[in-house]
Amino acid sequence: MSGPVNAGRMGGGVSPPVGEENRASGDGRQRNRGGGMMVGTHVAFGAFCAVSTALFLHLSAMLAILLLIGGMMGSLLPDIDHPKSWLGRRIPFLSRPIAYLFGHRGVTHSVLAVVGVFYAAAHCLHGWGLTLGQSMPLVLGLCVGYASHLLGDWLTPAGIPLLWPIRVRFRAPLMLLNGKFIEPMMAIGLWFGSGFLMAKTL
């Protein structure tokens, strides 16, 4: 089933309990039985989307690099709501309270969070003396990377609450990440694609 699905049911099965969707192994490879995307794939997808955006906007190589850095950083941010995620294990003092208040794949996996990241990043960089024009490549990269993470999780069976606080989850009509070897191959392809597109900005 494509489009929105009830938070309690997805397809023919019951959705995982909030906060129990993802498990992370000791080396940071994040995946879940409900079909969560691995952290490495999220970063690769964020890089690919960021470089694609830079190419679309005809940015210089330097600005493209800033957008790429932002994209890779932003691709990790949504999983700050999971204390066992790659990011959550590095800043538990932020991850644990967010997980306690909202659970995993809650507000951080919504359109509202993307807007919040834009304003928070722009405000912080302005406080460091950068104008919006100067900081825009990095801010845009953060938002693109963040959105790429949401798109990646949209491709998994668990889906995402895109319109949070409305308790409706959205997922793709086709579960592209169900196969055991599909996601590693996808990650490799995304890294090669990112490098190829980055070369075009030089």
Side-chain angles (χ1 to χ4, degrees):
M1 180 176 63
S2 62
V5 292
N6 184 275
R9 285 194 170 275
M10 295 178 296
V14 178
S15 63
V18 173
E20 292 295 329
E21 289 167 355
N22 277 355
R23 300 292 184 187
S25 64
D27 62 358
R29 290 178 300 172
Q30 187 177 323
R31 198 179 184 91
N32 67 63
R33 299 179 189 276
M37 183 178 276
M38 295 186 295
V39 63
T41 313
H42 273 307
V43 176
F45 196 25
F48 180 82
C49 291
V51 177
S52 297
T53 301
L55 199 62
F56 177 78
L57 296 176
H58 303 288
L59 299 182
S60 65
M62 182 59 66
L63 295 181
I65 290 173
L66 289 176
L67 207 146
L68 172 62
I69 292 171
M72 295 172 67
M73 293 171 58
S75 69
L76 297 170
L77 289 179
D79 281 341
I80 195 175
D81 65 358
H82 197 309
K84 292 185 178 181
S85 69
W86 187 92
L87 183 62
R89 287 184 290 112
R90 284 156 178 78
I91 48 175
F93 54 90
L94 288 178
S95 182
R96 288 173 182 168
I98 293 174
Y100 178 80
L101 292 173
F102 302 106
H104 182 48
R105 289 202 185 184
V107 63
T108 65
H109 287 67
S110 68
V111 173
L112 185 63
V114 179
V115 176
V117 165
F118 175 83
Y119 281 104
H123 179 75
C124 288
L125 293 174
H126 178 73
W128 294 344
L130 296 176
T131 65
L132 184 59
Q134 293 171 326
S135 63
M136 184 52 69
L138 186 58
V139 172
L140 179 60
L142 285 169
C143 293
V144 168
Y146 201 107
S148 76
H149 184 115
L150 302 190
L151 180 58
D153 282 351
W154 175 71
L155 296 173
T156 66
I160 56 173
L162 195 62
L163 300 179
W164 190 95
I166 299 174
R167 294 180 61 83
V168 175
R169 287 182 179 270
F170 293 79
R171 69 176 186 178
L174 296 176
M175 298 296 102
L176 301 180
L177 301 180
N178 276 347
K180 182 178 180 180
F181 301 105
I182 293 178
E183 188 173 343
M185 292 174 61
M186 176 182 176
I188 293 172
L190 287 169
W191 282 121
F192 273 106
S194 299
F196 175 77
L197 294 179
M198 192 66 197
K200 288 182 171 291
T201 68
L202 301 178

mmCIF file of all heavy atoms in Angstrom, residues 83-129:
data_model
loop_
_atom_site.group_PDB
_atom_site.id
_atom_site.type_symbol
_atom_site.label_atom_id
_atom_site.label_comp_id
_atom_site.label_asym_id
_atom_site.label_seq_id
_atom_site.Cartn_x
_atom_site.Cartn_y
_atom_site.Cartn_z
ATOM 1 N N PRO A 83 18.784 6.639 20.847
ATOM 2 C CA PRO A 83 20.042 6.619 21.612
ATOM 3 C C PRO A 83 21.051 5.584 21.123
ATOM 4 O O PRO A 83 22.244 5.713 21.392
ATOM 5 C CB PRO A 83 19.588 6.291 23.037
ATOM 6 C CG PRO A 83 18.163 6.743 23.099
ATOM 7 C CD PRO A 83 17.612 6.465 21.725
ATOM 8 N N LYS A 84 20.600 4.549 20.397
ATOM 9 C CA LYS A 84 21.525 3.520 19.917
ATOM 10 C C LYS A 84 21.956 3.748 18.472
ATOM 11 O O LYS A 84 22.669 2.923 17.908
ATOM 12 C CB LYS A 84 20.891 2.133 20.058
ATOM 13 C CG LYS A 84 20.720 1.703 21.505
ATOM 14 C CD LYS A 84 20.198 0.280 21.598
ATOM 15 C CE LYS A 84 20.077 -0.161 23.048
ATOM 16 N NZ LYS A 84 19.590 -1.560 23.161
ATOM 17 N N SER A 85 21.523 4.840 17.877
ATOM 18 C CA SER A 85 21.953 5.155 16.520
ATOM 19 C C SER A 85 23.393 5.656 16.542
ATOM 20 O O SER A 85 23.962 5.943 17.608
ATOM 21 C CB SER A 85 21.045 6.222 15.908
ATOM 22 O OG SER A 85 21.236 7.471 16.565
ATOM 23 N N TRP A 86 24.002 5.790 15.352
ATOM 24 C CA TRP A 86 25.386 6.265 15.267
ATOM 25 C C TRP A 86 25.525 7.630 15.929
ATOM 26 O O TRP A 86 26.448 7.869 16.703
ATOM 27 C CB TRP A 86 25.793 6.350 13.798
ATOM 28 C CG TRP A 86 27.246 6.674 13.589
ATOM 29 C CD1 TRP A 86 28.276 5.799 13.446
ATOM 30 C CD2 TRP A 86 27.821 7.990 13.523
ATOM 31 N NE1 TRP A 86 29.468 6.474 13.292
ATOM 32 C CE2 TRP A 86 29.220 7.812 13.332
ATOM 33 C CE3 TRP A 86 27.305 9.282 13.604
ATOM 34 C CZ2 TRP A 86 30.094 8.895 13.216
ATOM 35 C CZ3 TRP A 86 28.178 10.364 13.490
ATOM 36 C CH2 TRP A 86 29.550 10.170 13.303
ATOM 37 N N LEU A 87 24.609 8.534 15.654
ATOM 38 C CA LEU A 87 24.660 9.877 16.229
ATOM 39 C C LEU A 87 24.237 9.867 17.688
ATOM 40 O O LEU A 87 24.840 10.545 18.523
ATOM 41 C CB LEU A 87 23.759 10.827 15.425
ATOM 42 C CG LEU A 87 23.759 12.295 15.853
ATOM 43 C CD1 LEU A 87 25.150 12.905 15.706
ATOM 44 C CD2 LEU A 87 22.751 13.092 15.035
ATOM 45 N N GLY A 88 23.197 9.094 17.994
ATOM 46 C CA GLY A 88 22.678 9.056 19.359
ATOM 47 C C GLY A 88 23.697 8.570 20.365
ATOM 48 O O GLY A 88 23.727 9.051 21.513
ATOM 49 N N ARG A 89 24.551 7.627 19.972
ATOM 50 C CA ARG A 89 25.566 7.116 20.887
ATOM 51 C C ARG A 89 26.693 8.115 21.120
ATOM 52 O O ARG A 89 27.464 7.973 22.071
ATOM 53 C CB ARG A 89 26.136 5.794 20.350
ATOM 54 C CG ARG A 89 25.148 4.633 20.495
ATOM 55 C CD ARG A 89 25.731 3.295 20.054
ATOM 56 N NE ARG A 89 25.920 3.241 18.609
ATOM 57 C CZ ARG A 89 27.096 3.203 17.994
ATOM 58 N NH1 ARG A 89 28.211 3.255 18.693
ATOM 59 N NH2 ARG A 89 27.169 3.124 16.682
ATOM 60 N N ARG A 90 26.790 9.127 20.273
ATOM 61 C CA ARG A 90 27.833 10.136 20.428
ATOM 62 C C ARG A 90 27.361 11.372 21.175
ATOM 63 O O ARG A 90 28.181 12.096 21.737
ATOM 64 C CB ARG A 90 28.390 10.502 19.046
ATOM 65 C CG ARG A 90 29.314 9.418 18.516
ATOM 66 C CD ARG A 90 29.450 9.396 17.019
ATOM 67 N NE ARG A 90 30.393 8.349 16.600
ATOM 68 C CZ ARG A 90 30.072 7.055 16.542
ATOM 69 N NH1 ARG A 90 28.851 6.655 16.873
ATOM 70 N NH2 ARG A 90 30.976 6.160 16.175
ATOM 71 N N ILE A 91 26.073 11.630 21.155
ATOM 72 C CA ILE A 91 25.512 12.741 21.937
ATOM 73 C C ILE A 91 24.286 12.249 22.717
ATOM 74 O O ILE A 91 23.173 12.721 22.498
ATOM 75 C CB ILE A 91 25.160 13.942 21.041
ATOM 76 C CG1 ILE A 91 24.363 13.492 19.796
ATOM 77 C CG2 ILE A 91 26.396 14.707 20.631
ATOM 78 C CD1 ILE A 91 23.890 14.660 18.963
ATOM 79 N N PRO A 92 24.499 11.302 23.644
ATOM 80 C CA PRO A 92 23.372 10.731 24.392
ATOM 81 C C PRO A 92 22.629 11.751 25.246
ATOM 82 O O PRO A 92 21.438 11.576 25.522
ATOM 83 C CB PRO A 92 24.030 9.658 25.270
ATOM 84 C CG PRO A 92 25.461 10.106 25.400
ATOM 85 C CD PRO A 92 25.784 10.752 24.081
ATOM 86 N N PHE A 93 23.316 12.823 25.657
ATOM 87 C CA PHE A 93 22.675 13.845 26.479
ATOM 88 C C PHE A 93 21.567 14.577 25.725
ATOM 89 O O PHE A 93 20.690 15.180 26.340
ATOM 90 C CB PHE A 93 23.713 14.850 26.989
ATOM 91 C CG PHE A 93 24.550 15.472 25.908
ATOM 92 C CD1 PHE A 93 24.156 16.648 25.282
ATOM 93 C CD2 PHE A 93 25.738 14.874 25.520
ATOM 94 C CE1 PHE A 93 24.926 17.211 24.288
ATOM 95 C CE2 PHE A 93 26.524 15.441 24.510
ATOM 96 C CZ PHE A 93 26.115 16.606 23.897
ATOM 97 N N LEU A 94 21.596 14.520 24.382
ATOM 98 C CA LEU A 94 20.509 15.071 23.574
ATOM 99 C C LEU A 94 19.573 13.969 23.093
ATOM 100 O O LEU A 94 18.349 14.134 23.083
ATOM 101 C CB LEU A 94 21.080 15.815 22.357
ATOM 102 C CG LEU A 94 21.781 17.145 22.607
ATOM 103 C CD1 LEU A 94 22.318 17.700 21.298
ATOM 104 C CD2 LEU A 94 20.820 18.137 23.249
ATOM 105 N N SER A 95 20.161 12.854 22.706
ATOM 106 C CA SER A 95 19.371 11.769 22.115
ATOM 107 C C SER A 95 18.382 11.162 23.100
ATOM 108 O O SER A 95 17.226 10.907 22.750
ATOM 109 C CB SER A 95 20.313 10.689 21.576
ATOM 110 O OG SER A 95 19.593 9.658 20.953
ATOM 111 N N ARG A 96 18.817 10.915 24.319
ATOM 112 C CA ARG A 96 17.943 10.252 25.288
ATOM 113 C C ARG A 96 16.710 11.072 25.653
ATOM 114 O O ARG A 96 15.600 10.535 25.686
ATOM 115 C CB ARG A 96 18.748 9.877 26.533
ATOM 116 C CG ARG A 96 19.706 8.713 26.278
ATOM 117 C CD ARG A 96 20.615 8.457 27.459
ATOM 118 N NE ARG A 96 21.546 7.359 27.166
ATOM 119 C CZ ARG A 96 22.590 7.065 27.920
ATOM 120 N NH1 ARG A 96 22.844 7.787 29.012
ATOM 121 N NH2 ARG A 96 23.384 6.058 27.590
ATOM 122 N N PRO A 97 16.859 12.380 25.921
ATOM 123 C CA PRO A 97 15.646 13.171 26.194
ATOM 124 C C PRO A 97 14.685 13.227 25.010
ATOM 125 O O PRO A 97 13.462 13.151 25.195
ATOM 126 C CB PRO A 97 16.198 14.566 26.524
ATOM 127 C CG PRO A 97 17.595 14.333 26.958
ATOM 128 C CD PRO A 97 18.083 13.165 26.156
ATOM 129 N N ILE A 98 15.222 13.345 23.801
ATOM 130 C CA ILE A 98 14.366 13.394 22.611
ATOM 131 C C ILE A 98 13.642 12.066 22.429
ATOM 132 O O ILE A 98 12.441 12.025 22.125
ATOM 133 C CB ILE A 98 15.199 13.730 21.356
ATOM 134 C CG1 ILE A 98 15.745 15.157 21.454
ATOM 135 C CG2 ILE A 98 14.355 13.584 20.088
ATOM 136 C CD1 ILE A 98 16.700 15.535 20.347
ATOM 137 N N ALA A 99 14.367 10.964 22.639
ATOM 138 C CA ALA A 99 13.752 9.638 22.518
ATOM 139 C C ALA A 99 12.672 9.449 23.571
ATOM 140 O O ALA A 99 11.611 8.862 23.303
ATOM 141 C CB ALA A 99 14.820 8.552 22.654
ATOM 142 N N TYR A 100 12.916 9.944 24.770
ATOM 143 C CA TYR A 100 11.943 9.811 25.855
ATOM 144 C C TYR A 100 10.673 10.600 25.563
ATOM 145 O O TYR A 100 9.557 10.124 25.795
ATOM 146 C CB TYR A 100 12.564 10.285 27.169
ATOM 147 C CG TYR A 100 11.614 10.231 28.337
ATOM 148 C CD1 TYR A 100 11.358 9.035 29.005
ATOM 149 C CD2 TYR A 100 10.959 11.389 28.780
ATOM 150 C CE1 TYR A 100 10.477 8.981 30.066
ATOM 151 C CE2 TYR A 100 10.075 11.352 29.840
ATOM 152 C CZ TYR A 100 9.834 10.141 30.482
ATOM 153 O OH TYR A 100 8.958 10.104 31.539
ATOM 154 N N LEU A 101 10.845 11.800 25.019
ATOM 155 C CA LEU A 101 9.690 12.679 24.774
ATOM 156 C C LEU A 101 8.898 12.290 23.529
ATOM 157 O O LEU A 101 7.667 12.349 23.519
ATOM 158 C CB LEU A 101 10.160 14.135 24.642
ATOM 159 C CG LEU A 101 10.700 14.791 25.914
ATOM 160 C CD1 LEU A 101 11.281 16.156 25.589
ATOM 161 C CD2 LEU A 101 9.575 14.926 26.948
ATOM 162 N N PHE A 102 9.612 11.883 22.464
ATOM 163 C CA PHE A 102 8.939 11.694 21.174
ATOM 164 C C PHE A 102 9.024 10.271 20.622
ATOM 165 O O PHE A 102 8.293 9.943 19.689
ATOM 166 C CB PHE A 102 9.527 12.660 20.133
ATOM 167 C CG PHE A 102 9.427 14.097 20.533
ATOM 168 C CD1 PHE A 102 10.550 14.796 20.964
ATOM 169 C CD2 PHE A 102 8.211 14.772 20.496
ATOM 170 C CE1 PHE A 102 10.468 16.133 21.324
ATOM 171 C CE2 PHE A 102 8.116 16.107 20.857
ATOM 172 C CZ PHE A 102 9.247 16.787 21.281
ATOM 173 N N GLY A 103 9.918 9.438 21.170
ATOM 174 C CA GLY A 103 10.113 8.112 20.602
ATOM 175 C C GLY A 103 10.885 8.195 19.297
ATOM 176 O O GLY A 103 11.236 9.281 18.817
ATOM 177 N N HIS A 104 11.175 7.022 18.719
ATOM 178 C CA HIS A 104 11.915 6.998 17.456
ATOM 179 C C HIS A 104 10.964 7.137 16.274
ATOM 180 O O HIS A 104 9.851 6.627 16.300
ATOM 181 C CB HIS A 104 12.707 5.692 17.336
ATOM 182 C CG HIS A 104 13.521 5.610 16.089
ATOM 183 N ND1 HIS A 104 14.332 6.641 15.659
ATOM 184 C CD2 HIS A 104 13.630 4.637 15.152
ATOM 185 C CE1 HIS A 104 14.920 6.296 14.537
ATOM 186 N NE2 HIS A 104 14.508 5.089 14.188
ATOM 187 N N ARG A 105 11.453 7.823 15.241
ATOM 188 C CA ARG A 105 10.646 8.151 14.063
ATOM 189 C C ARG A 105 9.375 8.895 14.459
ATOM 190 O O ARG A 105 8.272 8.545 14.046
ATOM 191 C CB ARG A 105 10.308 6.888 13.256
ATOM 192 C CG ARG A 105 11.517 6.314 12.533
ATOM 193 C CD ARG A 105 11.109 5.442 11.370
ATOM 194 N NE ARG A 105 12.274 4.794 10.759
ATOM 195 C CZ ARG A 105 12.211 4.042 9.679
ATOM 196 N NH1 ARG A 105 11.061 3.827 9.079
ATOM 197 N NH2 ARG A 105 13.295 3.490 9.187
ATOM 198 N N GLY A 106 9.586 9.939 15.238
ATOM 199 C CA GLY A 106 8.499 10.829 15.615
ATOM 200 C C GLY A 106 8.698 12.170 14.931
ATOM 201 O O GLY A 106 8.832 12.240 13.707
ATOM 202 N N VAL A 107 8.784 13.221 15.722
ATOM 203 C CA VAL A 107 8.895 14.568 15.171
ATOM 204 C C VAL A 107 10.143 14.754 14.313
ATOM 205 O O VAL A 107 10.128 15.521 13.339
ATOM 206 C CB VAL A 107 8.870 15.615 16.316
ATOM 207 C CG1 VAL A 107 10.055 15.447 17.247
ATOM 208 C CG2 VAL A 107 8.822 17.025 15.749
ATOM 209 N N THR A 108 11.233 14.055 14.640
ATOM 210 C CA THR A 108 12.468 14.255 13.867
ATOM 211 C C THR A 108 12.377 13.680 12.453
ATOM 212 O O THR A 108 13.260 13.947 11.633
ATOM 213 C CB THR A 108 13.678 13.609 14.575
ATOM 214 O OG1 THR A 108 13.505 12.188 14.623
ATOM 215 C CG2 THR A 108 13.846 14.159 15.982
ATOM 216 N N HIS A 109 11.338 12.910 12.192
ATOM 217 C CA HIS A 109 11.156 12.341 10.854
ATOM 218 C C HIS A 109 9.943 12.969 10.168
ATOM 219 O O HIS A 109 9.119 12.292 9.568
ATOM 220 C CB HIS A 109 10.989 10.816 10.940
ATOM 221 C CG HIS A 109 12.257 10.103 11.252
ATOM 222 N ND1 HIS A 109 12.907 10.232 12.460
ATOM 223 C CD2 HIS A 109 13.020 9.240 10.502
ATOM 224 C CE1 HIS A 109 14.011 9.487 12.453
ATOM 225 N NE2 HIS A 109 14.098 8.882 11.276
ATOM 226 N N SER A 110 9.857 14.296 10.257
ATOM 227 C CA SER A 110 8.706 15.010 9.701
ATOM 228 C C SER A 110 9.151 16.264 8.959
ATOM 229 O O SER A 110 10.296 16.712 9.088
ATOM 230 C CB SER A 110 7.741 15.402 10.829
ATOM 231 O OG SER A 110 8.327 16.392 11.671
ATOM 232 N N VAL A 111 8.229 16.821 8.202
ATOM 233 C CA VAL A 111 8.490 18.079 7.489
ATOM 234 C C VAL A 111 8.786 19.195 8.479
ATOM 235 O O VAL A 111 9.633 20.064 8.235
ATOM 236 C CB VAL A 111 7.275 18.446 6.605
ATOM 237 C CG1 VAL A 111 7.459 19.831 6.005
ATOM 238 C CG2 VAL A 111 7.081 17.423 5.498
ATOM 239 N N LEU A 112 8.110 19.162 9.618
ATOM 240 C CA LEU A 112 8.312 20.176 10.654
ATOM 241 C C LEU A 112 9.775 20.230 11.088
ATOM 242 O O LEU A 112 10.324 21.310 11.318
ATOM 243 C CB LEU A 112 7.412 19.870 11.855
ATOM 244 C CG LEU A 112 7.406 20.884 12.997
ATOM 245 C CD1 LEU A 112 6.887 22.233 12.529
ATOM 246 C CD2 LEU A 112 6.567 20.362 14.164
ATOM 247 N N ALA A 113 10.416 19.063 11.176
ATOM 248 C CA ALA A 113 11.815 19.018 11.594
ATOM 249 C C ALA A 113 12.728 19.640 10.546
ATOM 250 O O ALA A 113 13.716 20.301 10.890
ATOM 251 C CB ALA A 113 12.224 17.568 11.849
ATOM 252 N N VAL A 114 12.426 19.451 9.265
ATOM 253 C CA VAL A 114 13.250 20.038 8.202
ATOM 254 C C VAL A 114 13.211 21.559 8.300
ATOM 255 O O VAL A 114 14.243 22.239 8.195
ATOM 256 C CB VAL A 114 12.764 19.579 6.814
ATOM 257 C CG1 VAL A 114 13.623 20.208 5.717
ATOM 258 C CG2 VAL A 114 12.802 18.058 6.691
ATOM 259 N N VAL A 115 12.025 22.106 8.520
ATOM 260 C CA VAL A 115 11.883 23.559 8.684
ATOM 261 C C VAL A 115 12.650 24.027 9.914
ATOM 262 O O VAL A 115 13.349 25.049 9.884
ATOM 263 C CB VAL A 115 10.388 23.939 8.800
ATOM 264 C CG1 VAL A 115 10.243 25.432 9.068
ATOM 265 C CG2 VAL A 115 9.637 23.543 7.539
ATOM 266 N N GLY A 116 12.547 23.252 10.993
ATOM 267 C CA GLY A 116 13.251 23.603 12.223
ATOM 268 C C GLY A 116 14.755 23.606 12.038
ATOM 269 O O GLY A 116 15.454 24.490 12.550
ATOM 270 N N VAL A 117 15.280 22.641 11.306
ATOM 271 C CA VAL A 117 16.720 22.564 11.046
ATOM 272 C C VAL A 117 17.186 23.773 10.244
ATOM 273 O O VAL A 117 18.248 24.341 10.527
ATOM 274 C CB VAL A 117 17.063 21.258 10.294
ATOM 275 C CG1 VAL A 117 18.463 21.325 9.692
ATOM 276 C CG2 VAL A 117 16.962 20.072 11.235
ATOM 277 N N PHE A 118 16.394 24.187 9.266
ATOM 278 C CA PHE A 118 16.766 25.353 8.457
ATOM 279 C C PHE A 118 16.914 26.595 9.338
ATOM 280 O O PHE A 118 17.938 27.288 9.293
ATOM 281 C CB PHE A 118 15.710 25.611 7.381
ATOM 282 C CG PHE A 118 15.953 26.864 6.594
ATOM 283 C CD1 PHE A 118 16.825 26.863 5.517
ATOM 284 C CD2 PHE A 118 15.319 28.054 6.935
ATOM 285 C CE1 PHE A 118 17.071 28.027 4.798
ATOM 286 C CE2 PHE A 118 15.559 29.223 6.225
ATOM 287 C CZ PHE A 118 16.433 29.206 5.153
ATOM 288 N N TYR A 119 15.896 26.862 10.159
ATOM 289 C CA TYR A 119 15.932 28.071 10.981
ATOM 290 C C TYR A 119 16.984 27.972 12.084
ATOM 291 O O TYR A 119 17.674 28.965 12.384
ATOM 292 C CB TYR A 119 14.556 28.334 11.581
ATOM 293 C CG TYR A 119 13.602 28.958 10.599
ATOM 294 C CD1 TYR A 119 12.597 28.215 9.997
ATOM 295 C CD2 TYR A 119 13.722 30.303 10.250
ATOM 296 C CE1 TYR A 119 11.732 28.789 9.077
ATOM 297 C CE2 TYR A 119 12.863 30.888 9.332
ATOM 298 C CZ TYR A 119 11.869 30.129 8.756
ATOM 299 O OH TYR A 119 11.019 30.691 7.840
ATOM 300 N N ALA A 120 17.152 26.794 12.681
ATOM 301 C CA ALA A 120 18.142 26.629 13.740
ATOM 302 C C ALA A 120 19.561 26.794 13.197
ATOM 303 O O ALA A 120 20.392 27.480 13.811
ATOM 304 C CB ALA A 120 17.987 25.256 14.391
ATOM 305 N N ALA A 121 19.838 26.190 12.042
ATOM 306 C CA ALA A 121 21.174 26.282 11.452
ATOM 307 C C ALA A 121 21.475 27.714 11.020
ATOM 308 O O ALA A 121 22.582 28.233 11.265
ATOM 309 C CB ALA A 121 21.286 25.332 10.262
ATOM 310 N N ALA A 122 20.509 28.364 10.376
ATOM 311 C CA ALA A 122 20.714 29.743 9.937
ATOM 312 C C ALA A 122 20.952 30.670 11.125
ATOM 313 O O ALA A 122 21.813 31.557 11.083
ATOM 314 C CB ALA A 122 19.502 30.218 9.129
ATOM 315 N N HIS A 123 20.207 30.442 12.200
ATOM 316 C CA HIS A 123 20.351 31.277 13.398
ATOM 317 C C HIS A 123 21.723 31.076 14.047
ATOM 318 O O HIS A 123 22.385 32.051 14.442
ATOM 319 C CB HIS A 123 19.248 30.941 14.394
ATOM 320 C CG HIS A 123 19.332 31.726 15.676
ATOM 321 N ND1 HIS A 123 18.966 33.058 15.752
ATOM 322 C CD2 HIS A 123 19.759 31.367 16.923
ATOM 323 C CE1 HIS A 123 19.159 33.492 16.998
ATOM 324 N NE2 HIS A 123 19.628 32.484 17.718
ATOM 325 N N CYS A 124 22.170 29.828 14.154
ATOM 326 C CA CYS A 124 23.466 29.541 14.765
ATOM 327 C C CYS A 124 24.611 30.145 13.954
ATOM 328 O O CYS A 124 25.522 30.768 14.513
ATOM 329 C CB CYS A 124 23.660 28.033 14.893
ATOM 330 S SG CYS A 124 22.639 27.260 16.157
ATOM 331 N N LEU A 125 24.562 29.963 12.643
ATOM 332 C CA LEU A 125 25.627 30.501 11.801
ATOM 333 C C LEU A 125 25.623 32.023 11.791
ATOM 334 O O LEU A 125 26.675 32.657 11.705
ATOM 335 C CB LEU A 125 25.489 29.943 10.380
ATOM 336 C CG LEU A 125 25.755 28.441 10.253
ATOM 337 C CD1 LEU A 125 25.447 27.950 8.848
ATOM 338 C CD2 LEU A 125 27.196 28.112 10.624
ATOM 339 N N HIS A 126 24.431 32.615 11.888
ATOM 340 C CA HIS A 126 24.341 34.081 11.994
ATOM 341 C C HIS A 126 24.995 34.553 13.284
ATOM 342 O O HIS A 126 25.661 35.595 13.315
ATOM 343 C CB HIS A 126 22.885 34.519 11.939
ATOM 344 C CG HIS A 126 22.713 36.008 12.084
ATOM 345 N ND1 HIS A 126 23.052 36.895 11.080
ATOM 346 C CD2 HIS A 126 22.247 36.767 13.127
ATOM 347 C CE1 HIS A 126 22.800 38.131 11.481
ATOM 348 N NE2 HIS A 126 22.316 38.089 12.717
ATOM 349 N N GLY A 127 24.809 33.774 14.343
ATOM 350 C CA GLY A 127 25.440 34.116 15.617
ATOM 351 C C GLY A 127 26.951 34.042 15.552
ATOM 352 O O GLY A 127 27.645 34.663 16.361
ATOM 353 N N TRP A 128 27.475 33.269 14.608
ATOM 354 C CA TRP A 128 28.926 33.182 14.418
ATOM 355 C C TRP A 128 29.432 34.231 13.440
ATOM 356 O O TRP A 128 30.593 34.191 13.022
ATOM 357 C CB TRP A 128 29.295 31.796 13.912
ATOM 358 C CG TRP A 128 29.019 30.709 14.906
ATOM 359 C CD1 TRP A 128 28.789 30.861 16.246
ATOM 360 C CD2 TRP A 128 28.940 29.305 14.636
ATOM 361 N NE1 TRP A 128 28.559 29.653 16.833
ATOM 362 C CE2 TRP A 128 28.647 28.675 15.887
ATOM 363 C CE3 TRP A 128 29.062 28.532 13.501
ATOM 364 C CZ2 TRP A 128 28.488 27.294 15.995
ATOM 365 C CZ3 TRP A 128 28.917 27.157 13.606
ATOM 366 C CH2 TRP A 128 28.645 26.544 14.847
ATOM 367 N N GLY A 129 28.559 35.163 13.056
ATOM 368 C CA GLY A 129 28.986 36.264 12.212
ATOM 369 C C GLY A 129 28.802 36.042 10.726
ATOM 370 O O GLY A 129 29.289 36.847 9.919
#
